[in-house]
Amino acid sequence: MFRLSGLFIAFVILAGTAVAPAAAEDKTITVFAAASMKNALDEIDAAYTARTGVKFSVSYAASSVLAKQIEQGAPADVFVSADTDWMDYAIAKKTINEPSRVNLLGNSIVLIAPKDSKIDSVTIAPGFDLAKLAGDGRIATGDVRSVPAGKYAKAALEKLGAWQAAEPKFAMAESVRAALTLVARGEAVLGIVYSTDAKVEPGVKIVGTFPADSHPAIIYPVAATSIAKPEANGYLAFLRTAAAKAILEKYGFKFLVSPTT
């Protein structure tokens, strides 16, 4: 009888060991988020894990890249886009749970230079000569054909009458954070990024802010994917709380919804 009990206990322990990794895996949320969200979202995710025990696997990249990866079957639970266009694209491809979508955040775009640059304060207005300001140097931003920050930058420069002359000087990066790095390293004399990006990079300084009416409103929508695990619903609810709002606003984002408790 003693031996049988011992065998039973051993079986229970082994069974529990086998089940534990699967249970832990079930409590991991996979988030695909715009590169500009990294610092703020890392802090939010850590806070959510501390509250719930749910862990995260996060991929940061340009919204265009992430939307297409989700379309191709990448197992994401949540998508955070830096513009409405790529969220609309994902919804059109039936990869997003449309009722879960919330236009959560706002942002602004700024002109940056390396921290030690002689360029200091620039007035960005109609007639602004970005090409002259850059001289023989390069201007970094996200790819204007697909990366939201680049699209906003191009729209602003076109409205201000500065795009045509400045276009040949642009270095198109794969994401806004890649553009930020080019400026921080001095590989570009100027860059156009989100104000939130400039805030977290000590190697750059803001030399000008683009007028809000010079480009489409910068809106970050968030939604669960069509294959999201149930845990994604709780996480999306947390993103709307006052606790999440405090973190996001600390990094410079504008909270666009009424926070919950």
Side-chain angles (χ1 to χ4, degrees), residues 147-213:
V147 178
K151 291 162 63 181
Y152 293 128
K154 181 182 178 183
L157 293 173
E158 284 180 332
K159 186 162 185 179
L160 296 170
W163 172 250
Q164 188 172 354
E167 181 182 7
K169 298 178 183 292
F170 268 88
M172 305 295 182
E174 62 184 12
S175 72
V176 69
R177 284 298 173 93
L180 182 70
T181 299
L182 288 174
V183 180
R185 291 177 178 172
E187 295 173 29
V189 297
L190 293 167
I192 302 174
V193 300
Y194 298 116
S195 59
T196 52
D197 295 310
K199 188 171 182 177
V200 298
E201 174 50 69
V204 307
K205 61 181 178 179
I206 295 174
V207 297
T209 299
F210 284 85
D213 62 0

Side-chain angles (χ1 to χ4, degrees), residues 16 28 38 55 79 85 87 107 110 139 160 162 234 246-247 254:
T28 298
K38 178 171 173 44
K55 297 180 180 179
F79 178 37
D85 289 349
M87 184 62 78
N107 209 336
V110 295
I139 307 162
L160 296 170
I247 294 171
K254 181 180 179 182

Side-chain angles (χ1 to χ4, degrees), residues 10 46 60 91 94 98 101 111 119 147-148 151 182 188 192 197 208 223 233 238 240 248-249:
Y60 294 107
I91 287 173
K94 310 295 185 185
E98 188 171 0
R101 173 182 177 166
L111 185 67
I119 300 172
V147 178
K151 291 162 63 181
L182 288 174
I192 302 174
D197 295 310
N233 295 324
F238 181 70
R240 300 185 63 169
L248 290 159
E249 289 184 341

Side-chain angles (χ1 to χ4, degrees), residues 14-217:
L14 287 170
T17 303
V19 170
E25 185 178 344
D26 288 342
K27 290 191 175 182
T28 298
I29 296 174
T30 300
V31 179
F32 278 23
S36 53
M37 289 295 301
K38 178 171 173 44
N39 300 73
L41 207 60
D42 281 351
E43 186 170 334
I44 283 176
D45 292 351
Y48 191 71
T49 297
R51 286 190 179 202
T52 65
V54 173
K55 297 180 180 179
F56 290 88
S57 173
V58 187
S59 292
Y60 294 107
S63 302
S64 52
V65 171
L66 298 173
K68 290 180 179 179
Q69 287 178 346
I70 292 171
E71 180 187 359
Q72 292 161 7
D77 297 302
V78 173
F79 178 37
V80 185
S81 176
D83 73 357
T84 57
D85 289 349
W86 285 111
M87 184 62 78
D88 291 343
Y89 174 91
I91 287 173
K93 297 297 182 180
K94 310 295 185 185
T95 58
I96 293 296
N97 176 8
E98 188 171 0
S100 71
R101 173 182 177 166
V102 175
N103 289 339
L104 187 68
L105 303 171
N107 209 336
S108 58
I109 53 171
V110 295
L111 185 67
I112 60 170
K115 195 70 175 179
D116 60 356
S117 172
K118 293 180 180 179
I119 300 172
D120 194 15
S121 181
V122 177
T123 299
I124 301 176
F128 162 59
D129 195 343
L130 180 59
K132 182 179 179 181
L133 188 66
D136 295 330
R138 306 290 282 172
I139 307 162
T141 195
D143 191 325
V144 300
R145 297 165 298 181
S146 57
V147 178
K151 291 162 63 181
Y152 293 128
K154 181 182 178 183
L157 293 173
E158 284 180 332
K159 186 162 185 179
L160 296 170
W163 172 250
Q164 188 172 354
E167 181 182 7
K169 298 178 183 292
F170 268 88
M172 305 295 182
E174 62 184 12
S175 72
V176 69
R177 284 298 173 93
L180 182 70
T181 299
L182 288 174
V183 180
R185 291 177 178 172
E187 295 173 29
V189 297
L190 293 167
I192 302 174
V193 300
Y194 298 116
S195 59
T196 52
D197 295 310
K199 188 171 182 177
V200 298
E201 174 50 69
V204 307
K205 61 181 178 179
I206 295 174
V207 297
T209 299
F210 284 85
D213 62 0
S214 67
H215 54 78

